[in-house]
Amino acid sequence: MAVSRSKQKSSEETRSALMDSAARLFREKGYDSTSLKDLALAVGVSPSAMYWYFPSKNDLLYSVIKRTLHRFEDGMTQALTKADDTPPSRLAAFVRYYVETQLSGSSEVAAYSYVYATGHMLDRLPDASRAELRDIERRIFHFVRGTIEQGVSEGSFATDYAGTTALAIIGMCEHVQTWFRPEGRDTVEDIADRYAGLCLSMVGHRDDRR
Amino acid sequence: MAVSRSKQKSSEETRSALMDSAARLFREKGYDSTSLKDLALAVGVSPSAMYWYFPSKNDLLYSVIKRTLHRFEDGMTQALTKADDTPPSRLAAFVRYYVETQLSGSSEVAAYSYVYATGHMLDRLPDASRAELRDIERRIFHFVRGTIEQGVSEGSFATDYAGTTALAIIGMCEHVQTWFRPEGRDTVEDIADRYAGLCLSMVGHRDDRR
DNA sequence: TGCTATTTATTGAACGTTCAATTAGGACTA
DNA sequence: TAGTCCTAATTGAACGTTCAATAAATAGCA
């Protein structure tokens, strides 16, 4: 039972291949503009094969967004354990992680994306699913705002608008994927570092390197 | 030929009503998910009426985006004439204008939106049209980057990455429309002011009010 | 080891529906 | 009557979905 070797792929493979392709295609072309034919062609199965793994195209969308958000949150938690336990360090680590997932996702199989999905995709889900996924988004926002507030009360940050600033930071991170081109002269790390610096300026961090 | 008053609206009315509805619906639901029936219902004509004014749905999309971008650019130019002729003042005026058009557009008839369209909509246009519209976007970007560079050379700003910072500013401005709710406790002017302040921090502006 | 039964995975055809687009023509104006 | 503005009816393609048929893998039993 080690490796499956013939024409029939071992179920898990096809299922995750479908989700991977859906993540990329939904992101690139949008949910409605991605037909089951597109999806099937990318995976190498017939359009109706999807219905073995998911009850509907809409449910596939739900599964994909859910997996994406959970992956983002898990990766974020892990990235934060490597950072110092101070607001500036944690905030910078968050931004770096955010930018990196956005930009590696745009050229690789696993397409991470956080608020992006919010645009039009979440609207296609039933109320309960949408609420569940927005909750994950909310947790991420609360982390950013909370970190800023903590920095302010400790004296390392200076801003009167932690919430608005948190949203602005998320906005600029989310946006990188619309313009970044891997063939350009800036690397992903370049952008991640600059964005981390920008976000420290935004929260009024004292000892800026300049 | 002055005013026509009967059942038949004076052509220009229907045409611009179609464009207004298209701007709002394309933005709210996306291009593909907006049917000609949706469009016609909002205007009060039959679905095929569109073909009197536009050769195709795709051409309507082109016309709408083109009008939106030109309106944005014109309004921006006008907003800048009211600002002092210094980089900090001009940059703040740009951000305020950007945020205001994004947020009034979400609740009003004329839906302004700049980079937003870039996401998936421009991809549906033929190459020539897309290139033409991206040129307008590029002009706006060049203004932001140029203003930052000017501020740096004059000594009022301090940053090594004018281009990246310009994109980050555009990104956070573009993003406000995804989360702003008019019924919340912050007004459009509140957000516009805060974002202008944030963007001055990002470019290393010296005399910050704090 | 071999034969059969069952479950797992996939296909291709067909469905009802929706869509953008076409056509032919009607109502109104000048 | 000619031109403008719009509708109703229709078309063909594409869509998500269902389903019967089937092949491949697995399990049970001799």
Side-chain angles (χ1 to χ4, degrees):
Chain A
M1 86 269 270
V3 267
S4 83
R5 60 253 92 183
S6 61
K7 295 174 95 171
Q8 210 145 284
K9 309 169 196 159
S10 73
S11 177
E12 294 306 317
E13 270 180 54
T14 308
R15 190 188 151 88
S16 69
L18 277 169
M19 290 184 72
D20 290 342
S21 289
R24 207 184 67 244
L25 290 173
F26 288 168
R27 175 167 169 159
E28 280 174 15
K29 326 200 319 167
Y31 173 66
D32 289 301
S33 314
T34 304
S35 68
L36 294 185
K37 201 177 163 190
D38 294 334
L39 251 140
L41 214 70
V43 175
V45 292
S46 89
S48 45
M50 188 214 76
Y51 289 90
W52 179 256
Y53 300 98
F54 305 94
S56 69
K57 186 193 177 190
N58 198 261
D59 198 88
L60 169 59
L61 173 65
Y62 165 74
S63 301
V64 165
I65 300 184
K66 184 174 172 178
R67 188 186 72 168
T68 297
L69 288 177
H70 278 127
R71 278 187 182 177
F72 182 94
E73 211 179 11
D74 292 347
M76 166 183 147
T77 305
Q78 204 187 350
L80 287 172
T81 60
K82 293 177 192 158
D84 292 347
D85 196 19
T86 66
S89 177
R90 286 168 69 82
L91 192 58
F94 169 80
V95 168
R96 254 186 241 107
Y97 171 72
Y98 203 147
V99 171
E100 277 161 14
T101 54
Q102 285 286 325
L103 298 188
S104 67
S106 73
S107 64
E108 256 308 313
V109 183
Y112 293 122
S113 182
Y114 157 46
V115 187
Y116 176 79
T118 303
H120 294 104
M121 306 255 238
L122 283 187
D123 296 346
R124 302 293 149 77
L125 297 178
D127 291 355
S129 310
R130 192 170 54 244
E132 174 201 340
L133 298 180
R134 287 221 197 275
D135 239 46
I136 308 181
E137 293 190 347
R138 195 149 35 227
R139 283 205 296 273
I140 299 172
F141 165 69
H142 283 160
F143 161 77
V144 181
R145 191 182 58 183
T147 304
I148 296 176
E149 283 167 346
Q150 194 188 338
V152 170
S153 67
E154 287 180 5
S156 52
F157 294 162
T159 176
D160 293 330
Y161 312 106
T164 306
T165 307
L167 287 166
I169 288 172
I170 289 172
M172 75 187 207
C173 288
E174 194 67 25
H175 188 252
V176 287
Q177 55 136 354
T178 67
W179 57 263
F180 181 78
R181 294 288 168 267
E183 62 270 21
R185 68 180 193 286
D186 297 324
T187 68
V188 171
E189 286 72 30
D190 288 337
I191 308 298
D193 285 342
R194 289 177 207 167
Y195 267 55
L198 283 173
C199 112
L200 289 179
S201 303
M202 292 165 80
V203 297
H205 183 47
R206 297 322 211 110
D207 38 25
D208 267 331
R209 40 117 204 80
R210 39 174 296 272
Chain B
M1 89 267 270
V3 268
S4 80
R5 65 244 90 193
S6 62
K7 294 174 93 174
Q8 216 143 279
K9 309 169 197 159
S10 71
S11 178
E12 292 308 314
E13 269 181 53
T14 307
R15 191 188 151 88
S16 70
L18 276 169
M19 290 184 73
D20 291 342
S21 289
R24 207 183 67 244
L25 290 174
F26 288 168
R27 175 167 169 158
E28 279 175 17
K29 328 200 320 168
Y31 173 66
D32 290 301
S33 313
T34 303
S35 67
L36 294 184
K37 202 177 162 190
D38 294 335
L39 225 73
L41 214 71
V43 176
V45 292
S46 92
S48 45
M50 188 213 75
Y51 289 92
W52 177 254
Y53 298 99
F54 305 93
S56 70
K57 186 191 177 192
N58 199 264
D59 197 89
L60 169 60
L61 173 66
Y62 165 74
S63 300
V64 164
I65 299 183
K66 184 174 172 179
R67 188 187 71 169
T68 297
L69 289 177
H70 278 127
R71 278 188 182 176
F72 183 93
E73 211 180 10
D74 292 348
M76 167 184 146
T77 304
Q78 205 188 350
L80 287 173
T81 60
K82 294 179 192 156
D84 292 346
D85 196 20
T86 66
S89 178
R90 285 167 70 81
L91 191 58
F94 169 80
V95 168
R96 254 187 241 107
Y97 170 72
Y98 203 147
V99 170
E100 277 160 14
T101 53
Q102 284 287 324
L103 298 188
S104 68
S106 73
S107 64
E108 256 308 313
V109 183
Y112 292 122
S113 181
Y114 158 44
V115 188
Y116 176 80
T118 303
H120 294 102
M121 306 255 237
L122 281 189
D123 296 345
R124 303 292 150 77
L125 297 178
D127 291 354
S129 310
R130 191 171 54 245
E132 174 200 340
L133 298 180
R134 287 222 197 276
D135 239 46
I136 307 181
E137 293 190 349
R138 194 149 36 226
R139 282 206 296 273
I140 299 172
F141 164 69
H142 283 161
F143 160 78
V144 180
R145 190 182 58 184
T147 304
I148 296 176
E149 283 167 348
Q150 193 188 339
V152 170
S153 66
E154 288 181 5
S156 52
F157 295 163
T159 175
D160 293 329
Y161 311 106
T164 307
T165 307
L167 287 166
I169 288 171
I170 288 173
M172 77 187 206
C173 288
E174 195 67 25
H175 187 252
V176 289
Q177 55 137 352
T178 66
W179 57 264
F180 181 78
R181 294 288 169 266
E183 63 270 22
R185 69 179 191 287
D186 298 325
T187 67
V188 171
E189 285 74 29
D190 288 338
I191 307 298
D193 285 341
R194 288 177 209 167
Y195 267 55
L198 283 173
C199 112
L200 289 179
S201 303
M202 292 165 80
V203 295
H205 184 47
R206 299 320 212 108
D207 38 25
D208 267 332
R209 41 112 206 82
R210 37 173 298 272

